[in-house]
C-alpha cells in the first residue's frame, strides 16, 4: 500500500517540476508577436480559406503588418473587416470588392446526357481523370460535389438537379470551388457588375453534337453578337464573352438566345 502512495507522490512532484520547467522554457524561448498582428488576427474569420492568397489567417495578418498584403485582402471579412484592419494599420483602406462564385453551366441531369453507369470513385476529379467525366458533354458539370466538399463556409450545396447551388449570402469569394472544379466551371464574379453572362462553358464546335449532348448548350449561332445594339459581345472563342464597358444590361441578347444560355448577372447573383 505504501508503495502505491509513494508512487503517486513521486508522480505529483515530477509533474509539478515539469510544469515549472515548461513555464520557464515558454518565457525564455518566447517569440514576441507584434501586437498589430494579434489585433488583426482577432478580426479575421478563422476560416483559413486561402482567399487572401496566404496559407491561413495567421500568415495573412503577419503579411499585412509587413506591408506585403493589402488591408482589403480578407475576402471572408468583407468591407467591415477591411475598415477595422485599416484603422489598426493607420492607412486608407480602399474599397473591398464583394465577389461570389458563379457556375458557368446549366447542364443539369435533365439536360445533359450521361455516358453510362459510372462505378468509380464518386468525386469530380476522379471521374474526370478516369473517364473524362460522366456526361456526354466534355465541358459540363460532372456533379459529384467536389466544390461543396471544399467550401469552408457551407455556401455550396448539390441540388436535386445534379448541379451545385451557391448561397450568395454565405459565399465570401474565397475561390476554393474555383480550384476544386476539374472543369473550371466556377468564376469569382464581382457582384456589383451588371450585364450579361454566358452560363455555358462548352467549346465544342460540332453543332449537331452539342444538341445531342446537352439541350441547353451554347449552339454557337452568334445571334447574341448580331443582335447586341452596343456591340458588346464577342463569340470568337466559341463562348459569348461580354465587354462590360459597353454592355448596358438591355437584355437583348438574353431574349434573343435560342438556347437560353445568356442571363443577366443581376438576375443570377
Amino acid at each position: 500500500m505504501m508503495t502505491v502512495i509513494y508512487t503517486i507522490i513521486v508522480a505529483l512532484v515530477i509533474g509539478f517540476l515539469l510544469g515549472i520547467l515548461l513555464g520557464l522554457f515558454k518565457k525564455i524561448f518566447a517569440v514576441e508577436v507584434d501586437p498589430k498582428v494579434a489585433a488583426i488576427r482577432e478580426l479575421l474569420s478563422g476560416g483559413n480559406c486561402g482567399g487572401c492568397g496566404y496559407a491561413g489567417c495567421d500568415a495573412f495578418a503577419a503579411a499585412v503588418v509587413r506591408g506585403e498584403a493589402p488591408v482589403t485582402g480578407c475576402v471572408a471579412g468583407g468591407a467591415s473587416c477591411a475598415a477595422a484592419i485599416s484603422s489598426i494599420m493607420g492607412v486608407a483602406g480602399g474599397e473591398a470588392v464583394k465577389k461570389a462564385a458563379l457556375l458557368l453551366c446549366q447542364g443539369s441531369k435533365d439536360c445533359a446526357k450521361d455516358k453510362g453507369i459510372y462505378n468509380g470513385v464518386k468525386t469530380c476529379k476522379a471521374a474526370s481523370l478516369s473517364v473524362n467525366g460522366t456526361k456526354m458533354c466534355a465541358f459540363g458539370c460532372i456533379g459529384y460535389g467536389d466544390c461543396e466538399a471544399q467550401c469552408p463556409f457551407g455556401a455550396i450545396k448539390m441540388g436535386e438537379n445534379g448541379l451545385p447551388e451557391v448561397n450568395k449570402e454565405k459565399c465570401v469569394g474565397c475561390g476554393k470551388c474555383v480550384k476544386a472544379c476539374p472543369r473550371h466551371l466556377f468564376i469569382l464574379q464581382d457582384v456589383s457588375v451588371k450585364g450579361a453572362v454566358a452560363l455555358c462553358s462548352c467549346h465544342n464546335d460540332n453543332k449537331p453534337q452539342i444538341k445531342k449532348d446537352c439541350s441547353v448548350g451554347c449552339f454557337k449561332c452568334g445571334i447574341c453578337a448580331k443582335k447586341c445594339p452596343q456591340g458588346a459581345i464577342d463569340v470568337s472563342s466559341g463562348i459569348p464573352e461580354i465587354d462590360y464597358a459597353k454592355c448596358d444590361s438591355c437584355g437583348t441578347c438574353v431574349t434573343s438566345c435560342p438556347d437560353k444560355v445568356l442571363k443577366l448577372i443581376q438576375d443570377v447573383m
Side-chain angles (χ1 to χ4, degrees), residues 58-142:
D58 290 335
F60 171 70
V64 170
V65 173
R66 291 196 303 268
E68 298 173 0
V71 295
T72 57
C74 179
V75 294
S80 59
C81 180
I85 295 175
S86 299
S87 178
I88 292 172
M89 295 300 296
V91 297
E95 185 177 354
V97 178
K98 167 64 176 175
K99 292 185 177 182
L102 178 62
L103 179 71
L104 301 183
C105 180
Q106 299 184 100
S108 66
K109 61 184 179 181
D110 296 326
C111 302
K113 295 182 179 180
D114 289 331
K115 291 180 180 178
I117 298 174
Y118 174 66
N119 294 316
V121 177
K122 298 299 191 292
T123 68
C124 300
K125 185 176 182 179
S128 179
L129 289 172
S130 59
V131 294
N132 195 30
T134 58
K135 294 177 180 177
M136 295 297 292
C137 177
F139 300 88
C141 177
I142 296 172

Side-chain angles (χ1 to χ4, degrees), residues 4 7 12 17 45 57 61 63 68 72 128 141 152 185 187 198 205 240 253:
V4 174
T7 301
L12 290 173
L17 292 174
S45 68
C57 296
E68 298 173 0
T72 57
S128 179
C141 177
L185 295 177
I187 62 169
D205 57 3
C253 60

Side-chain angles (χ1 to χ4, degrees), residues 25-45:
F25 287 146
K26 184 177 180 181
K27 288 185 176 181
I28 294 171
F29 297 105
V31 177
E32 289 189 14
V33 177
D34 190 316
K36 288 184 178 179
V37 174
I40 291 173
R41 180 62 184 84
E42 285 296 315
L43 296 171
L44 305 180
S45 68

Side-chain angles (χ1 to χ4, degrees), residues 173-261:
C174 69
K176 286 279 190 177
C177 56
V178 176
K179 296 177 182 177
C181 179
R183 291 286 172 82
H184 310 292
L185 295 177
F186 281 100
I187 62 169
L188 292 181
Q189 177 64 52
D190 183 346
V191 299
S192 66
V193 171
K194 294 183 179 181
V197 63
L199 300 184
C200 179
S201 297
C202 178
H203 287 272
N204 186 355
D205 57 3
N206 186 340
K207 295 182 180 180
Q209 190 63 46
I210 293 171
K211 279 305 177 187
K212 289 181 181 179
D213 295 344
C214 180
S215 61
V216 292
C218 178
F219 192 61
K220 322 298 187 249
C221 63
I223 292 177
C224 54
K226 296 173 185 175
K227 293 281 188 178
C228 179
Q230 306 300 328
I233 302 178
D234 178 19
V235 293
S236 60
S237 70
I239 295 295
E241 296 181 352
I242 318 301
D243 184 344
Y244 293 110
K246 296 179 180 179
C247 181
D248 61 0
S249 295
C250 70
T252 301
C253 60
V254 176
T255 56
S256 300
C257 180
D259 303 311
K260 307 304 178 187
V261 167

